[in-house]
Amino acid sequence: MDTAVIALIIIGVALVLYITDIFPVATTSILAILAMVVFDVIPFSSAFGGFANDMVFLIIGMVIVGNTLFETGVAQILGKSIIKISRGNEKMFVVILILVATIPAAFLSNTAAAAMMIPVAASAVAASNGKFTKKNTFMVIGIAAVTSGGLTAVGSTPQLIARDRLIEAGIEPFGFFELAWAGAPVIILLLVYYLTIGRVILKKTARPGENLTADIPLDYGIREVERNPLKMAITLSVLVFCIVGFISDGFWGLNLSLGTISMIGAAVCIATKCIGQKRVFETMDWTTVVVIGASLGLSAGLDQSGAGAMVAEGMVGLLGDNVSPWLLTAGLALIAVILGNFMSSTATAALLIPISMSVAIEMGIDVKAVIMAVVIACNISYATPVSTPPMTMTLSAGYKFIDYIKFGGLFNLLAYALVVLLFPLILNI
């Protein structure tokens, strides 16, 4: 049997296991990449190579920094400040978090933004005396971070890939804020969605007897800690160091990856005893680490086996030769959204952009407009916890896979419909 077909079967079985929750999401993810190896879809190094990916270490490092914010009492202060500003109103609290998350996601990276915002939100939840809950909060932050990453030319990887491809083809790349014409309306839509039907859906994610304000590894947000001014200053300095490093891609002429910067910050927190090594292991969100590493392996399986290309080319073929520019961009965007919920946005962009460029050139359609449509779509995948790192990080709230389909999936459909309707205005097609 063709390896591409086997890869699609494995993804299909994994999806069923995710939805039915027969196994924990991390276990299902590991079983899926093991199946890729056993059935010779990809080698072991590719299946488990995701665990050495820079993105994984970005998250590990920022989780440690975030947990250090708790350990030193900084997060509690920030959380209580947000509670004070929101006046104890959960709706206002979430709206503030969405707006605050937009800035780092747009100018740093959506993953870094989620890694910084979730610990602060957790602290506010823990200090709210039950007024706020994780399940009404975390997934919205993840979606806000993913969407906000699509506001600028540097907020996420797909636009960087697109920029390189357009320059290579001798085509002027899109401007720094050009994508915001699509991203900003989706952020507004998210605010409206959360304040209406979305909030109702999120409330139904709570299970009987479930503790909605505390869970491992962020359980200590509810307890008071001894505040050492020096350790608090070091922790804040580390956070600033990471933010500046993310913006500048390094220091003193050194080109450092996001993961490297993040791990340097984590190492400083441990070395200065702002957080103990034992506490690091106790509070690490291992589910997120495993799911992200494994999802990169699944992405590699779809990519290297040709399964992703098979799906993309098949759907493009269904559009026909005489399709209108608007319908073509809508179709390519739909492919990007579907693949983006099971592959990383980076892999989805790397796969679809060359195909989209070829199709646009062959059909005589504006290449830049088509590529922009694909990039926009790569930043609106929210229906699964394996779609993007920011969504995966929200698993610490205790959501089930089906919760993402209900809340994130519906918003995914609404966001897709909105950007497709906007394509004629923002892409001039």
Side-chain angles (χ1 to χ4, degrees):
M1 187 181 296
D2 190 290
T3 55
V5 176
I6 296 174
L8 291 175
I9 293 173
I10 292 172
I11 293 294
V13 173
L15 181 59
V16 172
L17 292 176
Y18 280 135
I19 294 174
T20 56
D21 204 34
I22 294 175
F23 303 117
V25 63
T27 302
T28 296
S29 299
I30 292 295
L31 289 173
I33 57 175
L34 280 173
M36 292 277 190
V37 177
V38 170
F39 291 99
D40 204 29
V41 176
I42 51 175
F44 183 90
S45 59
S46 295
F48 287 87
F51 290 95
N53 188 277
D54 184 71
M55 195 68 66
V56 173
F57 286 92
L58 165 63
I59 291 167
I60 290 174
M62 288 310 297
V63 167
I64 294 173
V65 173
N67 289 344
T68 305
L69 290 173
F70 274 98
E71 202 70 11
T72 58
V74 173
Q76 287 89 332
I77 294 174
L78 294 174
K80 288 179 180 179
S81 297
I82 296 177
I83 292 174
K84 186 176 181 179
I85 294 172
S86 64
R87 298 179 180 179
N89 183 300
E90 189 177 54
K91 287 184 179 180
M92 181 61 67
F93 169 66
V94 174
V95 168
I96 291 172
L97 288 177
I98 292 173
L99 296 177
V100 171
T102 297
I103 298 172
F107 295 97
L108 304 178
S109 79
N110 52 20
T111 303
M116 287 187 289
M117 291 302 302
I118 287 177
V120 173
S123 180
V125 167
S128 69
N129 296 320
K131 292 181 180 179
F132 306 157
T133 69
K134 303 187 304 289
K135 288 196 168 180
N136 287 351
T137 307
F138 281 26
M139 198 183 301
V140 186
I141 295 175
I143 291 176
V146 173
T147 305
S148 299
L151 289 173
T152 69
V154 298
S156 65
T157 309
Q159 41 266 56
L160 299 177
I161 294 174
R163 178 181 175 83
D164 288 343
R165 291 303 178 96
L166 288 171
I167 291 175
E168 287 176 5
I171 301 171
E172 181 183 356
F174 35 80
F176 193 83
F177 287 110
E178 200 167 348
L179 293 170
W181 291 106
V186 177
I187 290 291
I188 295 172
L189 178 65
L190 175 60
L191 290 168
V192 174
Y193 177 69
Y194 167 74
L195 293 172
T196 54
I197 187 173
R199 184 171 168 80
V200 176
I201 296 172
L202 281 178
K203 285 186 174 181
K204 292 182 179 179
T205 63
R207 273 83 188 175
E210 184 178 17
N211 187 339
L212 296 178
T213 60
D215 76 315
I216 306 263
L218 300 174
D219 58 330
Y220 48 85
I222 60 175
R223 66 178 176 87
E224 288 297 323
V225 297
E226 182 181 351
R227 294 176 182 172
N228 182 310
L230 177 59
K231 290 184 177 181
M232 293 176 72
I234 292 173
T235 305
L236 281 173
S237 297
V238 167
L239 182 60
V240 171
F241 165 84
C242 290
I243 293 173
V244 173
F246 293 155
I247 294 174
S248 59
D249 290 326
F251 300 92
W252 306 294
L254 296 175
N255 187 18
L256 303 178
S257 69
L258 298 181
T260 302
I261 294 168
S262 177
M263 290 303 293
I264 290 173
V268 171
C269 289
I270 298 171
T272 56
K273 297 184 179 181
C274 291
I275 186 171
Q277 181 174 296
K278 181 179 179 181
R279 195 64 175 155
V280 167
F281 287 104
E282 289 175 347
T283 58
M284 178 55 61
D285 185 4
W286 295 112
T287 294
T288 298
V289 172
V290 171
V291 172
I292 288 181
S295 68
L296 293 171
L298 288 175
S299 176
L302 285 172
D303 187 17
Q304 295 179 27
S305 68
M310 178 189 292
V311 172
E313 291 172 357
M315 295 186 73
V316 170
L318 290 175
L319 296 174
D321 296 326
N322 298 315
V323 64
S324 68
W326 176 81
L327 187 57
L328 174 66
T329 53
L332 289 171
L334 179 61
I335 298 171
V337 169
I338 292 173
L339 290 179
N341 274 300
F342 299 97
M343 297 173 62
S344 71
S345 59
T346 301
T348 301
L351 172 69
L352 277 183
I353 287 174
I355 295 174
S356 302
M357 289 184 74
S358 299
V359 171
I361 292 171
E362 183 177 337
M363 299 183 67
I365 300 173
D366 185 353
V367 175
K368 180 180 175 180
V370 172
I371 298 306
M372 281 187 65
V374 171
V375 170
I376 290 168
C378 283
N379 288 298
I380 56 169
S381 293
Y382 326 106
T384 72
V386 299
S387 57
T388 59
M391 295 304 292
T392 307
M393 280 185 274
T394 65
L395 281 168
S396 59
Y399 299 113
K400 302 294 184 182
F401 194 92
I402 193 68
D403 296 332
Y404 289 89
I405 294 177
K406 290 178 179 178
F407 181 83
L410 176 57
F411 183 69
N412 216 151
L413 292 174
L414 295 173
Y416 170 76
L418 175 61
V419 298
V420 166
L421 289 175
L422 291 173
F423 278 169
L425 297 176
I426 60 180
L427 302 179
N428 298 317
I429 55 173

